[in-house]
Amino acid sequence: MGAIGAWLGEWVTVKLAQGLLDGVNGKFNRNDLQKALKAGVKAADDLDKSQPFDKQIFYYCYPKHAKELLERFFQDAAVQQELQKPLQDTTTPDIDFLIALFKQAADEGKNLSKNLKFPENSIESWLKEFVDTYFKSTSTYLKFQGAKVNYLKQLINCFDDVKFGGISVEGQDIEKSERLPEIFVMPDVVETRNFTSLQDFDLFDSSRQTQLLSEQRQRALFINNSGRKILAAQLLNQNQSRRFVVLGAPGSGKTTFMSYFAVVIAQKYPDKLGLSTDIDWLPIIIRIRDLARYPDISILEYARLWAEKSMAVQQLPSGFFEYWLEDGRALILLDGLDEVAEESKSYQLLKRIENFLGQYDQNRAIITSRPAGYKRDFFRTEDFPHYELQPFDDEKLEEFINRWYDSRVSDKVEAKRRKDSLRKALAEQDRIKFLARNPLLLTIIALIHRYQAILPRERHKLYDKAVETLLTSWDANKELSNHTILKYLGLDDLRRLMESLAYWIHTQGSTGDKEGGTLIDRDELIEELTRNIKNLRDCKLHEAKAEAKRFVEFLRDRTGLLNEQGQDCYAFVHKTFQEYLCVQEIIYQADNEGDFDIILNHIKDHLHNQHWREVLLLLIAQQKPKKAARAIRAILQHNSEYEQWLHRDLFFAGSCLAENIKGLQMADSKLCEEVLDRLVELEVSKAPQVTYKISRQVFKALCSLYETAFEAPALQLLKDKEEYIDKVRLQKYRAELGEKEGAIDTLVTLLADADYRVRSSAVIALGMLGKDSEAVVQGLLGLLADADSDVRASAVIALGMLGKDSEAVLQRLLGLLADEDSRVRSSAANALDNLGKDSEAVLQRLLGLLADADSFVRFSAAYALGNLGKDSEALLQGLLGLLADADSGVRGSAAEALGELGKDSEALLQRLLALLVDADSGVRRSAASALGKLGKDSEAVLQQLLDLLVDADSGVRRSAAEALGKLGKDSEAVLQQLLELLTDDDSGVRRSAAS
């Protein structure tokens, strides 16, 4: 647009649109009207500019006078009445009448200024083009809005109705479906990047105190790069990006939360997701596994196909999705990237997704995947921040319980009774509560509790009910019972079929995913199903194969026990069910043959194979007491290789006791005593072969006896040996074996122990126990002035763990930034970062640490400042100074922090360019990454980044390729160098170059 056109285009979108909407029915909204008016102005202005200069409408007018005229014209009530016509009855405005009104306004303007003069016919051509385009646009947009009403209605019908296959309980009805927003609990997410897990640091063990304090840098890397926990609903209003990848384990609620996002947008509650209510949003939800079946059509063509065929939406007008996408008013939800298992197809699909999102990059988008099926090079974290769905914590469990029974039991007294019962069941059974942190398993547990009123205490009994629930969900419409889908198999056959299938699948090996079942190729699955169906139903081979194919098609389209979890790949919905059903097949074989050796042989063949561990534990737990004792004794006598040093047989026997097998003590009390005695003897042993690793395993084995018949005897044996056990370690045992409050009280008293090592380890133990009572916090605060620097540093770390951010804690931490010991100063900086305190006082004190004599302290301060995001000139200068630091880690952390802050001064540019040739590869990576984030695409930047594409370090090459991609420079030199990287030895580099 020209100067007048640009002004007018802006003015009509801000002022005129709202005036036109006054008194008009609700078919139109401001977004549509603004777009139609702007389209009209642009078309008229483009037509005008195509004319010779002396024929253009405002050629003879001063811009100021032309603007005054146009504003007077469009504010005229008669003009606005004409422009309202398409909004009311789709009739076109009267162009002759508008021309007359324009000339009238021009005549009135001439009384004020003689500088208003228009070429002949310019008024008519300008207004006619404006009106024609405006009318066509409003007509089209009205069709879009009409189509959107039907689209949103059908989307809600598809995704708001959460169906449960009820558990089979005599006398009860099948579980009713439920409205998603009524029972949905918003999960938490944590930003995740490629850094060592904090679990790798055993902060709980006092013997590693010195090592713990020397690993401040690694801990800072984790804390500052793992991100803090936020509600998933807050993703979309994160300022740094519009697009995200959300990873989640099987059953963690990925699909449900995507459905919820689509539904609340469709129901016009975008504020629930932190989005503006002034914008007319359109949700576009796509199941990626379905999209992959249509490789030859665009994503928008597929979205239209899916809406019209699967959602039964009335035929959508041409350009429907583009209308919202072009303005950045769509929420794009791409669910299940991991479900395309074939690598070549995955990368083809990734390219389609990247091109689509790149074409409409003003829109918000979320992509979900299981971690097991996701590769870190799929999407750059700089462009797509990665988050991981978190298991439900106690607060989420409580919210779910309330929503579940409030929505399903109308009587408030009865609803409260049931809530209390479920809470008690979870509180009393830690193992069940652990499973309940997975939303899918929690839903199944809630279904079982609703109809059983109690939860089985033994895991295998709960799994049995859960399997029945999922099997029933397959037959919610009686299609299996009535043989409308399958010819030979009925619902009663599925249990045996799933057991034999689970055993076969489990023998194929593990994917390494602790929660996901083993993936099986479709053809292999059909082949195994054919054999099983033939044996089960005694039918011919070709009949069994046809039935197997029908069953696999059924699995593909239904949620249940066994699902399609990748393109032509299938797995049990959770590894727990694969393991449990595998056990049932082994028991069936043993019972069928009357041969207990079948069970003993499985133990012998697979003992200490991690993939079979849970199977063997469940197998032993389901035996009668005497048979279970026989199996455990066989384990103790197995004499595994290096048993005298590794004690693997003993530890596995301890795990069997933790299964709390009823009647085991009565069946063989000496066996139980032997296992406990041997574990406690290992605990108190001072023999050199009882290494740190063995000591950890002893602790884990004894603590696993919590809430079993062996809990009290084990704790008593430990107390009897009190004089041989470290003071703090004994309190850890007490905390894990039912005496947590007493243990915490004792640990608080140990904070005053004369031995600094006891004080220090007691501090760490309290931090790990997560109890932030006043006594604990005051005790820790007292140790911030301890004479021993190890103790002070430990107290700082513990306060950071507890997350206590009171004013008293803040002031004491600020004081420790000046501590004489560098480890204390570094720990205090990390703790302030962890607490997220970004006050002016914190900023100033951390700035002072940028000049600290110790490199760990400078490193921690730089990371904390970058993470806190305080943007000031003093901070910029301080970080710039660190780019020349003698320590490579400090230089790298400063570069990363400056990239996060986004300050792109010339001084910073020059310093970062210098770091691209730094001797340390980590520094070169950080500098390249920072330049990519800052968006500096000068010739010098491009040339040095090109030089890094042949760096000896693959991480540097990858960072340079990503930075060049982010800068968007498509010169021939850049293109050629990136093409050469497509044959790089490192797959990450190849992926970065291709992107």
Side-chain angles (χ1 to χ4, degrees), residues 10 37 41 43 128-129 142 148 350 370 460 465 489 518 547 554 636 668 681 778 891 910-911 914 934 978:
E10 183 65 26
L37 287 165
V41 171
K128 189 175 187 307
E129 189 66 22
L142 277 172
K148 185 187 179 190
L350 279 173
R370 281 174 52 198
H460 63 87
K465 291 296 183 184
L489 292 172
T518 303
E547 185 81 336
F554 173 77
L636 279 177
D668 195 338
E681 284 303 315
Q778 289 303 316
R891 296 197 299 276
Q910 294 304 318
R911 301 295 289 277
L934 294 175
L978 291 175

Side-chain angles (χ1 to χ4, degrees), residues 689-931:
Q689 59 263 39
V690 181
T691 62
Y692 165 72
K693 183 177 180 180
I694 296 298
S695 181
R696 285 184 63 186
Q697 289 179 278
V698 171
F699 185 85
K700 182 179 179 181
L702 286 168
C703 290
S704 70
L705 300 176
Y706 174 61
E707 285 193 333
T708 71
F710 308 103
E711 176 186 62
L715 184 57
Q716 188 57 53
L717 283 172
L718 289 164
K719 289 179 178 179
D720 292 343
K721 301 284 186 178
E722 180 177 1
E723 61 185 299
Y724 302 106
I725 303 175
D726 176 84
K727 293 179 183 179
V728 173
R729 188 173 174 91
L730 181 59
Q731 301 316 308
K732 295 174 186 176
Y733 273 120
R734 289 183 64 199
E736 293 294 328
L737 293 172
E739 296 184 3
K740 183 174 182 179
E741 293 301 323
I744 289 174
D745 291 341
T746 302
L747 285 169
V748 171
T749 65
L750 290 177
L751 296 180
D753 195 275
D755 190 329
Y756 78 92
R757 291 168 295 187
V758 173
R759 297 197 304 275
S760 185
S761 58
V763 165
I764 295 298
L766 285 168
M768 292 300 296
L769 288 172
K771 184 76 173 182
D772 63 352
S773 67
E774 190 61 27
V776 171
V777 173
Q778 289 303 316
L780 293 174
L781 284 173
L783 290 187
L784 295 181
D786 196 276
D788 187 85
S789 61
D790 280 358
V791 176
R792 296 197 302 277
S794 298
V796 170
I797 294 169
L799 284 168
M801 291 176 184
L802 294 177
K804 199 72 176 179
D805 61 353
S806 67
E807 187 61 29
V809 172
L810 174 63
Q811 292 304 317
R812 298 296 295 276
L813 290 176
L814 284 172
L816 289 179
L817 293 179
D819 193 275
E820 63 183 18
D821 191 279
S822 62
R823 292 169 297 175
V824 177
R825 298 196 299 276
S826 178
S827 298
N830 291 332
L832 286 167
D833 177 25
N834 200 35
L835 295 176
K837 304 299 289 187
D838 61 356
S839 67
E840 187 61 30
V842 171
L843 175 64
Q844 292 304 319
R845 300 296 290 275
L846 288 175
L847 279 172
L849 293 187
L850 295 182
D852 195 276
D854 188 271
S855 63
F856 275 5
V857 178
R858 299 195 300 276
F859 174 91
S860 298
Y863 255 96
L865 285 165
N867 207 40
L868 293 175
K870 278 292 189 180
D871 183 6
S872 70
E873 185 60 30
L875 173 57
L876 175 62
Q877 293 303 318
L879 291 174
L880 278 173
L882 291 187
L883 294 181
D885 196 277
D887 187 277
S888 62
V890 176
R891 296 197 299 276
S893 67
E896 291 282 359
L898 285 163
E900 292 295 332
L901 293 175
K903 298 291 287 186
D904 60 352
S905 68
E906 184 61 29
L908 172 58
L909 174 62
Q910 294 304 318
R911 301 295 289 277
L912 288 175
L913 284 173
L915 291 185
L916 292 180
V917 294
D918 194 276
D920 186 88
S921 61
V923 176
R924 299 197 298 277
R925 286 197 299 268
S926 297
S929 175
L931 284 167

Side-chain angles (χ1 to χ4, degrees), residues 20-306:
L20 293 178
L21 285 175
D22 293 341
V24 177
N25 63 34
K27 291 182 181 179
F28 243 77
N29 61 55
R30 189 169 59 185
N31 295 132
D32 295 319
L33 186 54
Q34 288 176 346
K35 194 168 183 178
L37 287 165
K38 201 164 187 177
V41 171
K42 184 178 186 305
D45 198 55
D46 287 346
L47 176 66
D48 192 54
K49 286 190 293 185
S50 69
Q51 304 294 325
F53 287 118
D54 59 348
K55 302 294 184 182
Q56 294 178 11
I57 186 171
F58 300 117
Y59 177 73
Y60 296 105
C61 305
Y62 288 134
K64 174 184 176 181
H65 299 137
K67 290 178 182 178
E68 291 172 351
L69 166 64
L70 289 169
E71 188 165 352
R72 184 163 56 251
F73 170 72
F74 279 110
Q75 285 181 334
D76 186 284
V79 173
Q80 293 194 7
Q81 189 173 2
E82 286 298 314
L83 295 179
Q84 283 178 331
K85 284 182 178 181
L87 312 184
Q88 295 171 319
D89 56 13
T90 70
T91 57
T92 183
D94 187 331
I95 185 65
D96 292 332
F97 183 51
L98 287 174
I99 291 171
L101 290 174
F102 189 94
K103 290 180 177 179
Q104 180 180 328
D107 288 340
E108 292 172 358
K110 288 179 181 178
N111 294 331
L112 301 173
S113 172
K114 295 184 179 180
N115 293 314
L116 283 174
K117 178 183 177 183
F118 303 98
E120 187 177 356
N121 297 326
S122 63
I123 297 174
E124 179 178 356
S125 61
W126 195 94
L127 280 175
K128 189 175 187 307
E129 189 66 22
F130 167 78
V131 168
D132 286 349
T133 304
Y134 169 67
F135 177 73
K136 290 177 183 176
S137 297
T138 51
S139 178
T140 299
Y141 301 164
L142 277 172
K143 290 179 183 177
F144 286 163
Q145 283 297 337
K148 185 187 179 190
V149 170
N150 179 251
Y151 172 84
L152 295 182
K153 178 183 176 182
Q154 294 304 106
L155 186 145
I156 292 170
N157 287 341
C158 280
F159 295 100
D160 188 31
D161 189 19
V162 182
K163 293 181 174 65
F164 304 105
I167 184 169
S168 299
V169 179
E170 188 175 354
Q172 298 290 354
D173 295 329
I174 294 297
E175 189 69 15
K176 69 173 184 177
S177 64
E178 193 55 82
R179 299 268 78 83
L180 177 58
E182 292 184 23
I183 64 169
F184 179 72
V185 176
M186 185 65 68
D188 290 321
V189 294
V190 169
E191 188 170 8
T192 175
R193 301 181 187 175
N194 287 329
F195 287 93
T196 304
S197 169
L198 191 60
Q199 294 174 352
D200 292 342
F201 304 114
D202 183 16
L203 305 185
F204 202 72
D205 199 290
S206 59
S207 66
R208 291 196 65 212
Q209 177 64 15
T210 302
Q211 184 178 357
L212 181 151
L213 291 173
S214 69
E215 288 173 340
Q216 287 294 319
R217 176 172 296 181
Q218 288 89 337
R219 189 177 301 105
L221 277 169
F222 173 81
I223 291 172
N224 285 284
N225 289 282
S226 65
R228 292 184 175 82
K229 185 164 64 176
I230 63 171
L231 275 176
Q234 297 175 301
L235 276 176
L236 298 176
N237 59 12
Q238 299 295 297
N239 293 327
Q240 69 269 28
S241 180
R242 296 186 180 91
R243 302 176 293 181
F244 308 91
V245 172
V246 175
L247 305 174
S252 61
K254 300 182 296 297
T255 296
T256 305
F257 110 86
M258 294 281 268
S259 298
Y260 176 82
F261 274 38
V263 168
V264 296
I265 294 293
Q267 292 177 337
K268 301 188 183 302
Y269 296 116
D271 51 311
K272 291 185 177 182
L273 306 179
L275 298 176
S276 172
T277 55
D278 292 332
I279 295 177
D280 179 33
W281 297 97
L282 182 81
I284 303 173
I285 185 165
I286 292 173
R287 302 287 189 242
I288 295 179
R289 69 175 180 184
D290 297 328
L291 171 65
R293 296 192 180 102
Y294 298 88
D296 299 324
I297 65 174
S298 72
I299 290 181
L300 284 187
E301 288 173 322
Y302 169 76
R304 174 187 295 276
L305 177 69
W306 192 87

Side-chain angles (χ1 to χ4, degrees), residues 961-979:
E962 290 176 350
L964 285 166
K966 191 178 289 291
L967 295 176
K969 204 71 176 175
D970 58 355
S971 69
E972 184 64 26
V974 171
L975 179 61
Q976 288 302 318
Q977 291 267 27
L978 291 175
L979 284 172

Side-chain angles (χ1 to χ4, degrees), residues 528-594:
E528 182 65 20
L529 278 169
T530 299
R531 284 194 291 267
N532 284 315
I533 293 171
K534 185 177 184 298
N535 293 333
L536 189 65
R537 303 306 297 168
D538 193 25
C539 54
K540 295 179 180 179
L541 183 62
H542 71 90
E543 293 172 332
K545 187 166 187 177
E547 185 81 336
K549 290 180 177 179
R550 286 191 290 268
F551 185 57
V552 169
E553 290 299 310
F554 173 77
L555 294 178
R556 193 190 72 186
D557 298 329
R558 301 293 181 90
T559 297
L561 191 58
L562 186 70
N563 293 338
E564 186 183 30
Q565 295 190 16
Q567 185 70 21
D568 293 333
C569 287
Y570 292 78
F572 280 91
V573 68
H574 199 281
K575 192 173 183 179
T576 293
F577 300 127
Q578 175 182 310
E579 293 163 334
Y580 169 75
L581 288 167
C582 176
V583 169
Q584 302 317 113
E585 174 64 17
I586 298 171
I587 292 174
Y588 177 85
Q589 293 174 16
D591 289 347
N592 192 49
E593 298 293 330

Side-chain angles (χ1 to χ4, degrees), residues 6-27:
W7 166 83
L8 182 58
E10 183 65 26
W11 184 83
V12 296
T13 59
V14 176
K15 293 185 178 180
L16 181 56
Q18 191 56 53
L20 293 178
L21 285 175
D22 293 341
V24 177
N25 63 34
K27 291 182 181 179

